[in-house]
Amino acid sequence: MEREWILGEYQWIAFEHRGETVWPRLCSQSGAIDLYLQKKDAFYQNQSHWLETPVIHMLPHWNFPERVGETVSVWVYTNCEEAELFLNGKSLGKHVMALGEDEEMRADFSVKYESGELTAKGYDANGEIIAEESI
């Protein structure tokens, strides 16, 4: 985003594939889509950069029973104006995205882990929810 002379990016076919790896690994692990055609986090990161339709996706998964009380870094990929994160219905804050010339397509949150539902909501310039994901 910092270099106006760069038009896009190249990602090796977007799919993982068998080969070009070191034993004991069987696949490349470099694609945005895995061997089972499941979308990986990079898939959504790409969408947040290149789609005009609203995108919101958070990572990592939210299943860490051994980490209760520990701080977990949560990333939210979005092309919305604002991203808000909720844990079990309680807002953990809003992040105003720096969309424009120096586009920022990721909001970072530090979250004290507790089991339950993590939800990200994306808002447009009018404050309307236009994208939502829960895990």
Side-chain angles (χ1 to χ4, degrees):
M1 294 300 187
E2 298 171 356
R3 295 169 181 84
E4 61 188 47
W5 62 88
I6 295 177
L7 179 63
E9 67 179 357
Y10 175 80
Q11 187 173 52
W12 180 257
I13 71 166
F15 292 90
E16 291 180 353
H17 55 90
R18 290 184 62 100
E20 297 184 46
T21 187
V22 177
W23 176 258
R25 196 170 281 154
L26 294 175
C27 70
S28 65
Q29 293 189 310
S30 61
I33 300 172
D34 72 15
L35 285 173
Y36 301 99
L37 303 180
Q38 301 297 307
K39 299 168 185 169
K40 295 168 54 179
D41 296 322
F43 178 89
Y44 298 99
Q45 180 185 30
N46 292 343
Q47 284 191 328
S48 72
H49 281 278
W50 302 113
L51 291 184
E52 292 184 20
T53 56
V55 173
I56 197 156
H57 175 74
M58 64 190 132
L59 63 131
H61 62 80
W62 201 246
N63 187 18
F64 299 108
E66 71 284 357
R67 296 188 65 187
V68 171
E70 291 182 29
T71 300
V72 176
S73 180
V74 175
W75 291 0
V76 177
Y77 293 133
T78 189
N79 57 1
C80 298
E81 299 286 330
E82 293 181 312
E84 186 171 16
L85 192 65
F86 296 84
L87 179 55
N88 295 324
K90 180 183 174 193
S91 177
L92 302 177
K94 270 189 179 178
H95 184 95
V96 177
M97 307 305 290
L99 304 177
E101 192 171 307
D102 297 322
E103 295 186 49
E104 178 186 347
M105 310 306 275
R106 186 183 88 200
D108 298 347
F109 295 89
S110 293
V111 181
K112 194 174 227 180
Y113 181 81
E114 65 181 64
S115 65
E117 184 176 55
L118 196 63
T119 301
K121 295 182 181 184
Y123 299 87
D124 65 12
N126 298 321
E128 298 292 322
I129 297 170
I130 55 173
E132 186 171 337
E133 180 184 63
S134 294
I135 54 175

